[in-house]
Amino acid sequence: MNTDPFTAHESNVRRYGRSFPAVFARALGATIWDETGNAYIDFLVGSGALNYGHNNPDIMAPAIEYLVGENILLSLDMHTAAKRDFIEGFVDWILKPRGLSYKIQFPGPTGTNANEAALALARKYTGRSSVMAFTNAFHGMSLGSLAVSGSASTRELGGVARHDVIRVPYDGYPSQAFDSASYIDSVLSDPGSGIEKPVAIILETIQAEGGMNAASAAWLMEIQRICRTHGIVFIVDDIQAGAGRTGDFFSFESAKIEPDIVCLSKSLSGSGSPLSIVLIRPDLDVWKPGEHSGTFRGNNFAFVTAGAMCKMWSDRKFTAGVERTAVRLQTHLDRLVAKFPRYIEQKRGRGLMAGLKCRSPAVVGRVHDVAFENGLLIESSGPNRDVIKVLPPITITDAELDRGITILEHALQEQDNA
């Protein structure tokens, strides 16, 4: 395989090409092939941007029909038939069945665009400036999103100072013995704490890049109560954990909460095409026309594929299949934790957003390399890169899932020979 053009001309910033030294050419479902024909099970799925697998026929068929019909592709925020169909489908198949009512904002196409819009709106609505964010959080690579991310190495990017962020402990940090929600409530209630009232609390229900840390339903409910009590906007960054990744469409459904603002991107389009939205509690929608913008907020191809993805959630057979696959994955991982206590400390995550916390980054690095050699794509997460992320498509077949787990198990077994 010829990788010379990448080495010669692509920036040093490239990452995944170094981790997976192959030239990929074709993909379908949970399998991706390189240009020499080698097949790989994909437990990476575009870092959670391909929850529905590669080239899902139920999503791509209407998209192909749309592309050959001389239809609108870019529309800014003008009205188009594709945009109307997506809005109606999202409301009818996603929001209404869950008893949710939100206004829908289309910012720029990426997750960090959605988070930036949410933070700007919260500041406009409250007139305050500081945002409360959590240890080990990750919210994107633009300046506002970097500021509320937790990793020091991440926050140092951008080259400018980032202010107006109050850092607080996430659920279970630094240990399960510490009640971080009670701490947050205390400092917000005490005028002597030195902590000013923030405009918003922003969180991920599962911290994907932070190490697959999953917040409990009780903790999430308490954070929502704190926000309501203190007049703080409650923002859930559901960019990687949403769009079906945990088994429900929204990652916060099992906690029975209703955030004021929800940010979605990554797998929202269902196809890997960039699309993001901000869901806004109606009374918070205080934007003036044109006050927040973005050239590529009218990606009509993504509206078509996202609409097809939403329709899948109206099919009980589909949702039951996702639930069953989540149970199958969790059962596999429980077995690996029990089999390899020398290398794995614990299972993390929830549903089809799972992780294996290992005893050292060296274990994860070795597993990554051996897995790739044997046909499995996985990546690491956590501030110390000591967590194996397990992100199969939520539509993965039993055979593909079992094959991927078998390769992962072999890679863990190979630690004995390292």
Side-chain angles (χ1 to χ4, degrees):
M1 287 179 282
N2 179 16
T3 61
D4 292 344
F6 309 110
T7 303
H9 303 295
E10 191 175 0
S11 167
N12 290 331
V13 78
R14 66 192 186 280
R15 172 188 169 190
Y16 288 110
R18 301 178 194 273
S19 298
F20 306 108
V23 179
F24 297 103
R26 186 168 64 91
L28 182 65
T31 304
I32 183 170
W33 290 265
D34 67 25
E35 62 181 2
T36 64
N38 295 314
Y40 301 83
I41 301 297
D42 192 355
F43 280 10
L44 171 66
V45 292
S47 196
L50 291 164
N51 286 356
Y52 301 86
H54 297 271
N55 295 304
N56 187 306
D58 292 329
I59 292 172
M60 297 309 298
I64 292 169
E65 182 180 351
Y66 188 83
L67 284 176
V68 299
E70 298 182 355
N71 290 298
I72 300 293
L73 290 179
L74 177 65
S75 60
L76 302 177
D77 67 356
M78 292 185 287
H79 300 160
T80 67
K83 184 178 182 179
R84 180 182 59 208
D85 291 346
F86 166 69
I87 291 173
E88 290 178 341
F90 190 82
V91 170
D92 290 343
W93 294 322
I94 304 299
L95 294 182
K96 284 184 178 179
R98 292 160 179 80
L100 298 174
S101 178
Y102 289 112
K103 299 290 287 293
I104 304 171
Q105 179 183 352
F106 296 90
T110 70
T112 195
N113 294 138
N115 283 334
E116 293 281 3
L119 294 171
L121 179 60
R123 287 182 167 118
K124 176 179 173 63
Y125 178 80
T126 63
R128 302 191 296 271
S129 60
S130 296
V131 175
M132 186 168 281
F134 290 91
T135 51
N136 290 318
F138 179 78
H139 296 290
M141 298 300 291
S142 52
L143 290 182
S145 299
L146 285 171
V148 292
S149 295
S151 169
S153 61
T154 298
R155 285 184 285 109
E156 289 166 0
L157 297 172
V160 298
R162 285 165 290 281
H163 305 292
D164 294 330
V165 175
I166 304 164
R167 189 77 50 196
V168 290
Y170 191 71
D171 189 20
Y173 184 97
S175 72
Q176 293 297 330
F178 181 71
D179 184 353
S180 65
S182 178
Y183 166 77
I184 292 166
D185 195 22
S186 295
V187 297
L188 292 175
S189 301
D190 181 3
S193 70
I195 303 295
E196 63 184 273
K197 181 188 291 189
V199 303
I201 292 179
I202 184 170
L203 61 81
E204 308 151 274
T205 65
I206 302 175
Q207 296 183 320
E209 304 311 314
M212 306 303 281
N213 309 306
S216 69
W219 187 83
L220 291 169
M221 292 175 67
E222 182 62 8
I223 294 297
Q224 177 172 269
R225 185 200 66 77
I226 291 167
C227 287
R228 300 286 188 267
T229 299
H230 295 280
I232 297 166
V233 178
F234 182 27
I235 304 173
V236 168
D237 173 347
D238 226 17
I239 288 161
Q240 188 164 162
R245 175 46 58 187
T246 62
D248 298 318
F249 186 84
F250 296 107
S251 71
F252 53 82
E253 290 182 47
S254 61
K256 302 188 185 316
I257 60 174
E258 188 171 335
D260 300 314
I261 298 177
V262 181
C263 299
L264 289 169
S265 187
K266 282 193 181 283
S267 282
L268 177 64
S269 76
S271 62
S273 186
L275 176 67
S276 73
I277 59 175
V278 181
L279 304 179
I280 306 167
R281 197 181 75 205
D283 63 292
L284 265 67
D285 185 23
V286 294
W287 289 123
K288 296 177 182 178
E291 191 172 19
H292 193 277
S293 189
T295 301
F296 295 102
R297 66 196 185 280
N299 182 350
N300 283 252
F301 175 84
F303 293 153
V304 172
T305 58
M309 177 274 295
C310 292
K311 186 176 182 180
M312 295 169 71
W313 286 88
S314 67
D315 181 355
R316 178 55 190 160
K317 183 178 179 181
F318 168 78
T319 58
V322 173
E323 293 168 4
R324 183 183 59 79
T325 301
V327 171
R328 191 180 187 92
L329 172 63
Q330 291 294 321
T331 301
H332 275 309
L333 297 182
D334 285 336
R335 181 176 57 81
L336 294 182
V337 172
K339 184 175 181 179
F340 298 106
R342 290 169 295 172
Y343 309 124
I344 303 173
E345 289 185 18
Q346 61 180 183
K347 181 184 71 173
R348 289 184 175 178
R350 180 160 45 85
L352 286 150
M353 188 171 188
L356 296 173
K357 170 67 167 64
C358 295
R359 299 198 178 278
S360 75
V363 170
V364 177
R366 173 71 173 164
V367 167
H368 171 282
D369 293 346
V370 174
F372 176 69
E373 291 169 4
N374 288 278
L376 176 67
L377 305 184
I378 57 171
E379 70 170 329
S380 61
S381 75
N384 298 312
R385 313 309 294 182
D386 56 0
V387 178
I388 300 170
K389 286 178 72 176
V390 184
L391 297 178
I394 67 173
T395 55
I396 193 170
T397 66
D398 289 350
E400 288 174 313
L401 179 60
D402 294 349
R403 171 63 178 157
I405 292 295
T406 297
I407 297 171
L408 178 57
E409 183 173 0
H410 170 74
L412 286 162
Q413 190 72 56
E414 282 292 300
Q415 297 295 317
D416 293 330
N417 302 322

